[in-house]
Amino acid sequence: MTQMQGRAWSRRGVLAVAGAGVVGALTIPATGRATPQEADDFARKILGGATAKSGKVQLIVKDVAESGANEPVRVVVDSPMSAADHVKAIHVLADGNPFPGVSSWFLTPKSGKADVAFRMRLAKTQVVRAYAVMSDGSVWQASQEVKVTIGGCGG
Amino acid sequence: MNTPTIKTRIPAKAKKGEIIEIKAQITHDMETGQRKDAGGMPLARRIIKKFVCTWNAEVVISADWYTAMSANPLITFTALAEKSGPIKLAFHDDNGEIYEATADVVVE
């Protein structure tokens, strides 16, 4: 950097500094908060590495949460729920909570429909994801950002 | 924390092949382990970590829950009516206790 004193900043030098800044910002650990990266890792773990396609899953959650402590979430998956073709699991993940997992539901043809609802905590504004694992092994997903003004983790 | 109580809404009767809706709520703090008490000591994690619903002892749906589930969890799901018998809901606490609720449903 000292070399550059006294003369105009070169384009390359500016880009290098800007780049270093971005990398620095990304590598600072967010204390007590999961990152989308951790959510990705968790998703990979529970899905056994299968790639998720968009579709079939309907994630019903408000754009703006009234309270981060108690936000209704509903997941509906398009499936006949027969013995041959049914949803085996629904996983809900949150990108910005202290732990990325919210809940994993294991369904059977006796469930009748793939339709579960519950309430979740949201520590801050973040993306909520839902994954559905089908009996044929395919994985489908949907995600939505939820804005939170009052967090739900006691701080 | 008081002993958890379970409230359920399960229809008493259903037609064979009908898909019924089941609602349940259990009173539980779902303590995340992230919070501290007034003295600054961390409060130990204690949540319902597992939920299982059976009908005539066959699993309808089960779930693994994590700390992001809200306090006093309220859940809604469905079940396919096949034959009369008890629907049992079981909530597994971190401390090993299992809280249960049962409802008899007549399938015609």
Side-chain angles (χ1 to χ4, degrees):
Chain A
M1 287 297 292
T2 47
Q3 274 184 318
M4 284 161 72
Q5 276 174 352
R7 57 179 156 124
W9 282 51
S10 69
R11 180 180 150 81
R12 187 170 294 175
V14 170
L15 287 178
V17 171
V22 169
V23 171
L26 288 177
T27 48
I28 292 168
T31 44
R33 296 275 186 270
T35 58
Q37 179 63 47
E38 280 172 43
D40 283 343
D41 291 347
F42 186 76
R44 210 169 296 124
K45 204 176 91 186
I46 53 174
L47 299 172
T51 24
K53 289 170 276 188
S54 287
K56 290 201 183 195
V57 182
Q58 232 186 311
L59 172 63
I60 303 159
V61 58
K62 278 184 221 148
D63 292 343
V64 181
E66 279 170 28
S67 151
N70 218 358
E71 190 53 28
V73 182
R74 184 174 166 209
V75 182
V76 183
V77 187
D78 179 19
S79 165
M81 292 306 278
S82 63
D85 181 5
H86 59 273
V87 179
K88 276 169 72 181
I90 293 173
H91 302 284
V92 180
L93 274 67
D95 279 5
N97 274 355
F99 181 74
V102 178
S103 57
S104 294
W105 299 79
F106 304 99
L107 295 89
T108 67
K110 290 180 189 303
S111 308
K113 280 194 280 187
D115 184 345
V116 296
F118 56 89
R119 289 170 176 186
M120 69 175 285
R121 292 174 168 137
L122 292 151
K124 58 169 187 176
T125 297
Q126 59 181 283
V127 176
V128 176
R129 319 175 185 182
Y131 293 91
V133 182
M134 305 300 196
S135 51
D136 68 1
S138 65
V139 181
W140 301 82
Q141 69 110 29
S143 60
Q144 190 182 324
E145 190 185 38
V146 183
K147 289 195 164 44
V148 178
T149 44
I150 307 165
C153 289
Chain B
M1 196 178 79
N2 297 326
T3 310
T5 55
I6 302 167
K7 279 192 282 187
T8 59
R9 185 176 290 169
I10 301 173
K13 275 186 191 173
K15 290 195 177 71
K16 193 171 163 62
E18 188 186 341
I19 294 166
I20 61 166
E21 187 185 75
I22 298 173
K23 271 183 192 285
Q25 183 166 35
I26 180 165
T27 59
H28 196 287
D29 290 345
M30 298 293 279
E31 190 58 62
T32 62
Q34 302 278 332
R35 298 196 308 152
K36 293 187 170 75
D37 66 12
M41 294 297 288
L43 291 162
R45 179 187 128 143
R46 184 182 164 191
I47 66 167
I48 304 281
K49 61 179 174 184
K50 191 175 163 65
F51 165 75
V52 183
C53 171
T54 58
W55 194 344
N56 290 314
E58 289 181 275
V59 175
V60 171
I61 193 167
S62 66
D64 289 339
W65 292 357
Y66 304 105
T67 49
M69 290 295 277
S70 295
N72 304 321
L74 168 64
I75 55 172
T76 312
F77 57 93
T78 56
L80 177 65
E82 288 177 319
K83 59 176 195 280
S84 301
I87 290 181
K88 195 170 91 176
L89 310 179
F91 299 83
H92 298 243
D93 195 302
D94 266 342
N95 69 6
E97 280 184 72
I98 300 171
Y99 316 110
E100 288 179 341
T102 309
D104 280 307
V105 181
V106 177
V107 177
E108 297 163 330

